[in-house]
Amino acid sequence: MERLSEDRELRARKLWEEVLGHLKERITAQAFETWFSETRAVTVSDDRLIIEVPNEFYIDWLEEHYSKVVREALRSAGITNLKLIYRPAPKEEREDERGFIAVKKPSTRLQARYTFDNFVVGKSNEFAYSAARAVAHSPSGEYNPLFIYGGVGLGKTHLLQAIGNYCLKKHKKLKVHYVPAETFMNEMIRAIQKRSMVSFKLKYRQLDVLLIDDIQFLRDKEMLQEEIFHTFNSLYDAGKQIVMTSDRPPKEIPSIEERLVSRFQWGLVVDIKPPDLETRMAILRKKCEEEGIHLNDEIIHFIAQKVRKNIRELEGCLVRIAAFHSLTKRPITLQVAEEILRDMIKESRGLEVTDIIEAVSQAFNIPAREIKGKRRKKEIVEARQAAMYLMRHMLGMSLKSIGYSLGGRDHSTVIHSIEKVEKLVEDGEDIVEKIEKAREILKSL
């Protein structure tokens, strides 16, 4: 009977892992982390799959907000004959020898793989790395808060979690917690609905080190900004360390209160730029060493030359090569690597400003010289604003650089233009079709 129970649990876990894999493709990483990372498959029978979740609130939330996407994931996994049943997990608590209840230590959300030792340092990130190490060595010291910004996939999260992991190892008594801004918001919503805001506030305001990822998520969220503001003040006034990351510097996060921008800049603001060729090669060699992948310098140089802006894409190339070798047993030569990575490298080609201007010129039927020029005719202004929007979202350029690339326009003009296009895109206006056409042109380059 015990063996049968184990078999059912194993089958349930395998089924649920497959469903979770399909869910990851349908919802944001933050939503997945918040609502599905702590779920656990318990058992499976002829007609039902039992999934354990942290508490009753999760059941209500999942059934109300994610029932449709979960059904789609079940169908994609080929599970059509089982009913999904959620049930709350038993509380993990025990009595000590004095009869007091000892509750399980709260999670830090840190992942052990992110350390300073396996972060590859180059000219593009050495300042941010040094600042992060200084904070980890001496939390609440000279650099508080520390604000790290840069494009997607450049190592911001790695440094943020490396600080937390170092603090846990060297300063064992410190209470450390890592949280994406979206997860913070979802927790706050749950606390409001459960009328447990006091506990929520205490959780974050009693920390020694608070690490907040993707703080740009605050934009246009007044309640979230209000709570972050008071949490920030409480921790800062108590001499606690705050570290944040963003895809842009504080002043360039749109629709965020000035009082927050001011506080984010009280300490040290540092950026991470795309890695140069030497750093990209060093990252690939380090990853090969960690994963036991054997590639010669010619192949490493080829990948590093082709994938310029995103460390995750570099690592993705290695994963594909390793998978190909494992499945086919073919030796990896330069020609084989080029064949395996053809699609990924095409997608990863480094776009330039001129590419975007030319694509917008074609999509909007406006000469490139007019987009860069001074004329204020409505159609030209619209194309120019679309170019700014794409430079920001596809290249991660600073506002200053965007303004310089389009005739020396000032910071406020660029912000206004990008926000206007974002609103038009959100509202589904006609400009969406033209922007998508420009994107298609860029994908074909």
Side-chain angles (χ1 to χ4, degrees), residues 331-445:
I332 304 300
T333 64
L334 178 59
Q335 184 178 359
V336 171
E338 288 176 347
E339 178 186 332
I340 297 168
L341 303 176
R342 186 179 294 117
D343 292 341
M344 291 183 72
I345 285 171
K346 184 179 180 183
E347 292 171 3
S348 299
R349 175 191 176 274
L351 292 173
E352 304 292 341
V353 168
T354 51
D355 295 327
I356 285 183
I357 293 174
E358 185 55 39
V360 170
S361 171
Q362 293 180 42
F364 285 73
N365 197 26
I366 300 290
R369 66 177 182 278
E370 297 282 15
I371 294 173
K372 293 187 288 184
K374 301 292 185 183
R375 291 185 64 192
R376 301 285 304 165
K377 193 176 179 181
K378 182 182 177 182
E379 310 88 80
I380 297 173
V381 170
E382 185 182 63
R384 191 179 295 137
Q385 290 174 335
M388 293 178 182
Y389 169 86
L390 290 171
M391 287 177 191
R392 185 65 167 174
H393 286 269
M394 296 189 75
L395 299 184
M397 291 172 62
S398 70
L399 301 178
K400 185 176 179 181
S401 297
I402 293 171
Y404 179 80
S405 300
L406 291 168
R409 287 169 169 81
D410 64 29
H411 175 274
S412 59
T413 300
V414 177
I415 286 181
H416 169 74
S417 298
I418 293 171
E419 289 185 349
K420 181 178 179 181
V421 176
E422 286 175 339
K423 183 68 168 59
L424 291 171
V425 169
E426 187 179 321
D427 293 344
E429 299 291 341
D430 292 343
I431 197 173
V432 175
E433 188 176 336
K434 294 176 182 177
I435 286 176
E436 287 308 310
K437 184 177 179 181
R439 286 185 188 274
E440 290 302 317
I441 293 169
L442 290 166
K443 285 180 184 177
S444 68
L445 296 179

Side-chain angles (χ1 to χ4, degrees), residues 60-98:
D60 295 339
W61 189 273
L62 290 174
E63 289 180 346
E64 182 177 351
H65 295 89
Y66 290 100
S67 58
K68 182 180 178 181
V69 73
V70 169
R71 282 199 302 272
E72 291 172 354
L74 285 165
R75 282 197 296 270
S76 296
I79 303 170
T80 57
N81 59 332
L82 297 177
K83 184 179 180 181
L84 194 65
I85 304 294
Y86 297 115
R87 79 179 190 195
K91 293 181 179 178
E92 293 191 39
E93 52 184 38
R94 57 180 174 79
E95 288 189 0
D96 64 15
E97 63 275 10
R98 297 167 298 172

Side-chain angles (χ1 to χ4, degrees), residues 142-149 215 232 236 242 244 248-253 256-270 411:
E142 189 175 354
Y143 308 126
N144 191 27
L146 175 63
F147 192 103
I148 305 170
Y149 73 92
I215 202 75
F232 183 104
Y236 187 87
I242 305 159
M244 295 163 281
R248 63 199 77 182
K251 282 187 176 179
E252 295 184 12
I253 302 175
I256 189 170
E257 295 178 14
E258 186 58 38
R259 61 180 182 168
L260 275 175
V261 173
S262 172
R263 279 159 176 76
F264 293 168
Q265 298 178 129
W266 277 356
L268 179 64
V269 177
V270 296
H411 175 274

Side-chain angles (χ1 to χ4, degrees), residues 76-322:
S76 296
I79 303 170
T80 57
N81 59 332
L82 297 177
K83 184 179 180 181
L84 194 65
I85 304 294
Y86 297 115
R87 79 179 190 195
K91 293 181 179 178
E92 293 191 39
E93 52 184 38
R94 57 180 174 79
E95 288 189 0
D96 64 15
E97 63 275 10
R98 297 167 298 172
F100 292 115
I101 296 295
V103 182
K104 184 183 176 183
K105 186 178 179 181
S107 169
T108 64
R109 290 186 178 271
L110 293 167
Q111 298 180 53
R113 73 176 185 272
Y114 291 123
T115 68
F116 289 119
D117 290 340
N118 61 20
F119 185 87
V120 178
V121 184
K123 291 179 181 179
S124 61
N125 59 26
E126 59 185 346
F127 186 23
Y129 172 82
S130 299
R133 285 212 66 130
V135 165
H137 277 287
S138 181
S140 308
E142 189 175 354
Y143 308 126
N144 191 27
L146 175 63
F147 192 103
I148 305 170
Y149 73 92
V152 175
L154 297 183
K156 302 186 299 297
T157 297
H158 189 140
L159 282 182
L160 191 66
Q161 294 212 28
I163 292 171
N165 283 318
Y166 187 94
C167 286
L168 288 177
K169 185 177 180 181
K170 299 296 184 181
H171 313 288
K172 297 185 185 298
K173 293 183 179 180
L174 293 184
K175 287 176 281 188
V176 180
H177 191 72
Y178 161 84
V179 62
E182 185 176 356
T183 301
F184 184 95
M185 185 191 74
N186 289 333
E187 285 184 25
M188 186 179 75
I189 292 170
R190 292 201 302 271
I192 292 169
Q193 293 179 333
K194 294 174 69 178
R195 299 181 181 177
S196 59
M197 277 300 290
V198 173
S199 297
F200 172 78
K201 292 174 190 290
L202 283 174
K203 171 184 174 180
Y204 283 99
R205 297 180 194 183
Q206 290 182 349
L207 294 172
D208 296 302
V209 180
L210 175 58
L211 311 164
I212 307 181
D213 214 352
D214 292 324
I215 202 75
Q216 74 276 0
F217 185 78
L218 293 176
R219 57 177 298 180
D220 296 320
K221 298 174 179 66
E222 293 181 8
M223 282 185 63
L224 182 58
Q225 290 186 33
E226 182 77 15
E227 187 57 36
I228 289 285
F229 174 78
H230 292 298
T231 299
F232 183 104
N233 284 348
S234 177
L235 291 174
Y236 187 87
D237 292 344
K240 308 302 184 181
Q241 180 68 51
I242 305 159
V243 187
M244 295 163 281
T245 71
S246 173
D247 64 354
R248 63 199 77 182
K251 282 187 176 179
E252 295 184 12
I253 302 175
S255 304
I256 189 170
E257 295 178 14
E258 186 58 38
R259 61 180 182 168
L260 275 175
V261 173
S262 172
R263 279 159 176 76
F264 293 168
Q265 298 178 129
W266 277 356
L268 179 64
V269 177
V270 296
D271 71 329
I272 299 181
K273 298 180 178 67
D276 57 23
L277 178 63
E278 290 74 18
T279 305
R280 297 197 298 273
M281 291 181 69
I283 290 167
L284 288 168
R285 290 194 184 101
K286 180 78 172 177
K287 194 68 177 176
C288 283
E289 181 183 327
E290 290 174 355
E291 302 296 333
I293 301 170
H294 303 288
L295 297 179
N296 62 40
D297 282 349
E298 185 181 29
I299 296 172
I300 286 175
H301 186 268
F302 164 72
I303 298 171
Q305 270 192 319
K306 298 295 184 180
V307 182
R308 301 177 186 177
K309 296 184 180 294
N310 192 312
I311 294 168
R312 290 177 199 160
E313 290 180 4
L314 283 174
E315 295 175 346
C317 289
L318 291 183
V319 169
R320 182 177 284 197
I321 285 175

Side-chain angles (χ1 to χ4, degrees), residues 27-40:
I27 62 177
T28 67
Q30 289 90 345
F32 183 88
E33 170 68 21
T34 301
W35 298 108
F36 292 96
S37 64
E38 296 183 44
T39 61
R40 186 176 75 88

